[in-house]
Amino acid sequence: MERTYVLPGDSIDPTLIPSHPTRPLKLGLGLKHIPPSDIIPTIAGELVTDRRKNSMHIEYNGGRYVPIIGDLVIGTVQKTAADYYYVGLSDYTSNAILPQLAFEGASKKTRPNLAAGALVYARVSLANRHMDPELECVSTATGKADGLGPLVGGMIYTISLGMARRLRMAKLVEKGKVAVIEDLSSAGLAFEMAVGCNGKLWVNSENIKTILAVGRAVKETDEKNLGVEAQRKLARKLIKEMA
């Protein structure tokens, strides 16, 4: 991957725009195509070019989460209506709607009973600037949960949108890799995580110290923008403290 910093409206060097003989160019977050051939940034951040995937996007930390269809998010149930749960995704935004039948195998008799404060891992199924977003906890193609649904136990952490995207990236040895997670796992810490594109991280383990260590590792890496070596140093420190 190639990376460079850009500001809104900057001209992008043509050498940074990937090309592929068969794959169309994919423009991700923060980029806009202006016909016939101009591509401009709409936000400030790091331009990431992936020539293998023939794609480009802007990596940034700030800003308010805006739901996009297909995003995986972690939400908190705010209230329950006859057929829906109203789920909060971020501060100062309207609640998303989660149909009570949008779960694997759900019927009027078997649908989950989620109280206010319950956490759910869901996919954005509808996102429209004129309507509240809608969520689902089941694949419409297979009818299976595919890892979505209520999150029981564990702890929730708020992280930057940029860190959420980093955690969801493929596990590649490159700049931006969240090495602290792999090092904690390699050291024998058993835990599970769910990452929401809305800047939420859920960590669960049978050991509360592990939950706290993983949450601290991600938060500190995020807030201090630690590089790979600094992350590994932090991992060693946390493991030593748990011994």
Side-chain angles (χ1 to χ4, degrees):
M1 290 187 183
E2 300 172 38
R3 297 167 179 261
T4 187
Y5 286 93
V6 294
L7 296 173
D10 277 356
S11 296
I12 296 178
D13 188 331
T15 62
L16 297 176
I17 300 176
S19 62
H20 193 278
T22 58
R23 294 180 180 176
L25 176 63
K26 296 181 180 179
L27 297 182
L29 183 70
L31 292 172
K32 181 179 180 180
H33 172 233
I34 298 180
S37 59
D38 290 338
I39 298 173
I40 64 168
T42 58
I43 57 177
E46 193 175 19
L47 174 66
V48 180
T49 299
D50 189 333
R51 297 188 182 277
R52 184 174 60 85
K53 295 182 179 180
N54 202 37
S55 66
M56 304 169 63
H57 73 275
I58 302 294
E59 190 67 46
Y60 75 108
N61 276 343
R64 177 176 62 88
Y65 173 69
V66 178
I68 299 175
I69 292 177
D71 277 358
L72 297 181
V73 295
I74 297 175
T76 305
V77 175
Q78 303 295 320
K79 61 179 181 179
T80 303
D83 298 311
Y84 300 94
Y85 295 112
Y86 291 90
V87 179
L89 298 182
S90 60
D91 296 335
Y92 312 114
T93 58
S94 58
N95 291 330
I97 297 173
L98 174 60
Q100 294 188 13
L101 298 182
F103 293 83
E104 181 178 353
S107 67
K108 289 188 175 181
K109 292 184 178 181
T110 62
R111 58 190 177 185
N113 183 20
L114 301 179
L119 298 174
V120 290
Y121 195 32
R123 180 186 298 105
V124 178
S125 58
L126 176 65
N128 187 308
R129 60 185 297 182
H130 303 295
M131 300 173 61
D132 291 337
E134 188 166 316
L135 309 176
E136 61 185 4
C137 290
V138 64
S139 169
T140 53
T142 65
K144 301 295 184 180
D146 293 336
L148 304 179
L151 296 174
V152 181
M155 292 183 64
I156 191 78
Y157 296 90
T158 298
I159 56 178
S160 70
L161 301 183
M163 174 56 76
R165 288 189 292 271
R166 284 175 61 185
L167 288 169
R168 296 191 56 79
M169 284 174 61
K171 295 181 179 179
L172 300 174
V173 179
E174 60 172 351
K175 177 184 175 183
K177 175 183 176 183
V178 188
V180 69
I181 295 299
E182 287 198 359
D183 286 3
L184 291 176
S185 179
S186 298
L189 273 64
F191 58 90
E192 56 180 331
M193 299 193 319
V195 181
C197 295
N198 56 327
K200 302 296 180 183
L201 168 69
W202 176 80
V203 183
N204 193 26
S205 173
E206 294 182 357
N207 187 336
I208 185 64
K209 289 185 178 181
T210 297
I211 296 176
L212 296 173
V214 173
R216 177 183 167 187
V218 175
K219 292 280 288 184
E220 194 164 328
T221 298
D222 186 18
E223 293 167 358
K224 297 182 179 180
N225 194 26
L226 300 181
V228 172
E229 290 306 316
Q231 291 178 47
R232 290 185 168 144
K233 182 178 179 181
L234 174 60
R236 291 193 296 270
K237 176 183 176 182
L238 292 172
I239 293 167
K240 184 177 179 179
E241 290 178 354
M242 293 181 65

